Amino acid sequence: MRERLYLFDTTLRDGQQTQGVQFSAAEKAQIARALDALGVDYIEGGWPGANPTDSDFFRDAPATRAIMTAFGMTKRVGRSAANDDVLAAVLDAGTPAVCLVGKTHDFHVITALGVTLEENREAIAASVAHVVAKGREALFDAEHFFDGYRANPEYALGCLRAAYDAGARWIVLCDTNGGTLPSEVSRITAEVIAAGIPGASLGIHCHDDTGNAVANSLAAVEAGARQIQGTLNGLGERCGNANLVTLIPTLTLKEPLASRLETGVTPIALAGLVKTSRMLDDILNRVPQRASPYVGASAFAHKAGLHASAILKDPATYEHIDPALVGNERQIPMSNQAGQSNLRARLAAAGLNVDPKDPRLALILDEIKRREDQGYAYDGAQASFEMLARGALGLAPRFFEVERYRVTAERRQLPDGRRLSLSEAVVVVDIGGQRMLSVSESRDGNGEDRGPVNALWKALAKDLGPWQGCVDDMRLVDFKVRITQGGTEAVTRVIIDSEDGQGRRWSTVGVSANIVDASFEALLDAVRWKLIRDIGLNAGKAA
Amino acid sequence: MRERLYLFDTTLRDGQQTQGVQFSAAEKAQIARALDALGVDYIEGGWPGANPTDSDFFRDAPATRAIMTAFGMTKRVGRSAANDDVLAAVLDAGTPAVCLVGKTHDFHVITALGVTLEENREAIAASVAHVVAKGREALFDAEHFFDGYRANPEYALGCLRAAYDAGARWIVLCDTNGGTLPSEVSRITAEVIAAGIPGASLGIHCHDDTGNAVANSLAAVEAGARQIQGTLNGLGERCGNANLVTLIPTLTLKEPLASRLETGVTPIALAGLVKTSRMLDDILNRVPQRASPYVGASAFAHKAGLHASAILKDPATYEHIDPALVGNERQIPMSNQAGQSNLRARLAAAGLNVDPKDPRLALILDEIKRREDQGYAYDGAQASFEMLARGALGLAPRFFEVERYRVTAERRQLPDGRRLSLSEAVVVVDIGGQRMLSVSESRDGNGEDRGPVNALWKALAKDLGPWQGCVDDMRLVDFKVRITQGGTEAVTRVIIDSEDGQGRRWSTVGVSANIVDASFEALLDAVRWKLIRDIGLNAGKAA
């Protein structure tokens, strides 16, 4: 019979304390629904009253199976819990659970709060009792607990007992400064349980300041704690909170945890983990970290030639779990180290089956290496990789040629102080001997100037003769710019993601010192890839 | 009396197996010198023979106190160690140490290698003996050790003993697939020592596939191992190797490790850690991870208003170490949660001392919030923050106005197939009523087109009348582009880093849907900031 392990997500509260992060109420609702679908047990939505957005969120919070939780702090000394307006605002959010943070490190009580140890302990007890009296589930976040326990274990434990005796459902040991190591977390958690707070009421809340947030969380659970607090993608102040996206697969798939403990995350929910992680990155407009455990794009990427050959024989040789369990996939990327087995696997994934003895394989490898030296990167631009290979294999119809283009970006300051921006592009293409000139400006429906690359795309896509229908079915959904050497004296790599009405999504790359030129190169690859998919090989003029 | 703990860096070998990473021999030499200055004991430079760049590196490797190490694999079954050409190439690099990887997991021996268990064990013994006979220090990387020990402990230990008895100085337990958890590493390492391989000869080599590489390394050391293998910035395949940048401060500063163990990293070298970490990011052209433990830009950034007030009273309230020890610094960033204490601290850092009661503080906070909603980010653009604050405080002379600009980017395909690219910019400025028109193209000294932003900068900097000397002293050193919403229908944020001849370095930001416009905005802030520094407040026309 497995014991229940509870997951408490604080992406919307502690995660919001990350530098550069500010969720709108709508974004919080979106994240809350995703967390609920994932199967976490508690969603800490924010600090109502202290953050206006948080009050809004709680007012219209989505209905969830997860227990919606409001965060706050213990009452201030010198007034009763009922008369503390900050605490009242937290309770007014009407959530089923309330999590209050309070000091348990004597140094903080005296230096930061400026009150006596007894006053602080009484404030904890009174605040928790007040929450319980209001019919809510009470959680107590023991701030700076591990530092406090080392400095004055009696006092720190006294604070825990005050909260526990006042009726708190959960006592959460917080490594607030993030400096505690796993063996200490292990030892101290065990001592807390031995001192009388049952493991079934203990939670753990870690930060990653020494790179041990995940390990510290596991250590506490192994010592008997039964709640883990963390965030999606390890979001959080400084180095972040314990990363639930990293912890959940370990808890679900790795022994001995998987057979001893049970969370609320089902296998189906687990398979949605990559999507959930990317959703948060999208909202924050962050580039997903390729090396993230379990969900990173590189987490199952096997670059070394030896590894790739072994993987093709049996994935268990170099994979610790099946990537599909978390919604990820295996990758055999291109690189200097890639043997021809890597290349053939990647060509096969692109729908091009090449005989192992085909001498053009070596030519393709050399071309890729040459271009990567110039700044191209094919790992994130599979469609450009395919176009390059097709070129070498004689399977790349051109469909059209671009004779020239010109892009102009202008800005004027009007006499009344307003600024006027305008971008215009002219593209001249040749389709089977027929020259077509197209001009476009970059104004969108609101009259806003969207910039020179946008103008260029619109001009290119305006009149492609017989291919017009295919291009009309295409849209650009992402545009990543990278300077591969420092400064404006640099080579620019542009990666464009395109989608079409038939559910395809593909990435292409362009490189140039000139960002417009790099963008154009990526655009051309994107269009030609699409035309090959829609038209096939025969209609275009072969390379 | 402290025991010696050895650090083995494999950035240049295992780190090179990262997707998208390919070091040149010169870059390897630069990294090797930095590793040596940091104080690591071993530098694994690569696999000579297998990688041409690696052979080049070893041939001209810098002289280091650290022991230069060549990587390779145990001899193939069916030939003697002396007759294995791959092994011979490794020895031919002439390094003082040689690290050979060999299979210790029976599944791999049979499935991946296709030889018998005894043949593999004999290959390990013979290879190590050969290295020792050649007068080199031998290290044995026990591949897949933890998986192998769980599957067939007798066989795995037998492989270790084979290497140890043949004279290996170090036996390195490798968690090659990265799936082992800290408590298992702890247990198994202890059992290996109990079975007869002394801790003083044991090394640990972990990967971060479950987010536990750092914790696993610490666990092995706590169990008695005395060598840690890792990489700078956790570079490495899939989720990366154990991050030495994260481990070194913990080993040096945290008890009980700091008083029991001693590495080769001195306090002075430790204070250079941030620089070393950034150096590698620069070489790889990677954006440094803000949340990296110890060295991240956000590692000591305190956003929450409560935290910031406490920090101002005593840094120990929310910092687990003094950031200066690793070459980092405390940050009190701007955000919606920032109270006015944050803002005043940041203004003071910019040299602007504002009275706490000044009503313009609230105006500045509001303006920052408004602009951040539009896509501006001031955390990484301190000079633009300062310009904004100066504007609100009436301390921002304009020096010049830009009436208009026009940038043209053109590309033609010549009849002979060559492509011709050209960018040109016209900028019209008004300096104290006098209009000046400047035109520039973006060709550099080699006739290469450097793109529209480059042309714009050159035109702006070409003739600024009385301010020309200041602008001539300026150069742009970095240019970061970020699309803050998806796709080309997006707002572009450009951050420009500038340097001058007086050792200053400053960052400015610009935001627009139009990348050229965003770049221009950042350029204007950069120039005006420089002029304020050089000229002062009185010479320009006040805003």
Side-chain angles (χ1 to χ4, degrees), chain A residues 42-246:
Chain A
Y42 294 82
I43 296 173
E44 191 171 61
W47 189 338
N51 285 332
T53 323
D54 292 356
S55 307
D56 293 342
F57 164 73
F58 282 116
R59 195 179 44 244
D60 303 314
T64 55
R65 269 180 312 175
I67 300 172
M68 196 59 74
T69 308
F71 174 85
M73 62 185 198
T74 50
K75 78 170 183 73
R76 275 155 298 171
V77 164
R79 60 185 75 190
S80 70
N83 280 337
D84 187 305
D85 54 331
V86 175
L87 183 53
V90 176
L91 285 157
D92 284 348
T95 54
V98 170
C99 182
L100 300 181
V101 65
K103 307 278 182 211
T104 63
H105 185 174
D106 58 1
F107 168 68
H108 273 259
V109 174
I110 294 164
T111 308
L113 284 187
V115 303
T116 71
L117 298 184
E118 179 51 32
E119 284 173 324
N120 178 63
R121 208 195 53 75
E122 192 274 333
I124 293 171
S127 306
V128 171
H130 184 63
V131 169
V132 173
K134 292 285 182 184
R136 319 296 181 84
E137 178 174 334
L139 299 91
F140 174 62
D141 268 0
E143 207 192 16
H144 298 102
F145 180 73
F146 295 92
D147 297 328
Y149 185 86
R150 272 188 293 253
N152 187 339
E154 228 175 72
Y155 182 68
L157 278 172
C159 291
L160 299 190
R161 287 196 191 95
Y164 186 70
D165 293 343
R169 164 67 182 91
W170 289 103
I171 306 295
V172 185
L173 311 181
C174 302
D175 185 28
T176 309
N177 288 1
T180 310
L181 299 182
S183 43
E184 281 292 89
V185 170
S186 203
R187 174 180 77 85
I188 291 172
T189 304
E191 290 181 14
V192 167
I193 293 174
I197 311 286
S201 300
L202 267 189
I204 180 71
H205 176 114
C206 298
H207 286 269
D208 211 34
D209 298 75
T210 67
N212 283 299
V214 163
N216 283 345
S217 305
L218 293 174
V221 167
E222 284 169 354
R226 289 294 174 258
Q227 186 196 100
I228 296 181
Q229 295 203 350
T231 59
L232 291 178
N233 298 353
L235 201 63
E237 272 206 278
R238 303 187 316 267
C239 305
N241 287 59
N243 188 339
L244 288 183
V245 170
T246 302

Side-chain angles (χ1 to χ4, degrees), chain A residues 18-19 285 482-483 489 517, chain B residues 285 298 454 482-484:
Chain A
T18 310
Q19 207 173 349
N285 198 42
R482 180 76 171 282
I483 312 296
E489 317 285 297
D517 212 31
Chain B
N285 198 44
S298 294
N454 183 272
R482 179 74 172 281
I483 312 297
T484 62

Side-chain angles (χ1 to χ4, degrees), chain A residues 249 253 267-276 278 294-296 300 321-330:
Chain A
L253 302 171
I268 290 179
L270 185 67
L273 194 63
V274 169
K275 268 191 137 166
T276 302
R278 297 289 189 272
Y294 294 114
V295 300
F300 299 93
I321 65 153
D322 174 359
L325 294 174
V326 295
N328 208 341
E329 46 183 32
R330 183 172 305 126

Side-chain angles (χ1 to χ4, degrees), chain B residues 58-124:
Chain B
F58 282 117
R59 196 179 44 244
D60 303 315
T64 55
R65 270 180 309 178
I67 300 172
M68 196 59 75
T69 308
F71 174 85
M73 61 185 198
T74 50
K75 76 170 184 72
R76 274 156 297 172
V77 164
R79 60 185 74 191
S80 70
N83 280 335
D84 187 303
D85 54 329
V86 175
L87 184 52
V90 176
L91 285 158
D92 283 348
T95 55
V98 170
C99 183
L100 300 180
V101 65
K103 308 280 182 210
T104 63
H105 185 173
D106 57 3
F107 168 67
H108 274 259
V109 174
I110 294 165
T111 307
L113 284 188
V115 302
T116 71
L117 298 184
E118 179 50 33
E119 283 173 325
N120 179 62
R121 208 195 54 75
E122 192 275 332
I124 293 171

Side-chain angles (χ1 to χ4, degrees), chain A residues 502-515:
Chain A
Q502 294 159 65
R504 300 185 188 109
R505 182 168 175 135
W506 64 104
S507 301
T508 51
V509 62
V511 168
S512 170
N514 179 332
I515 192 177

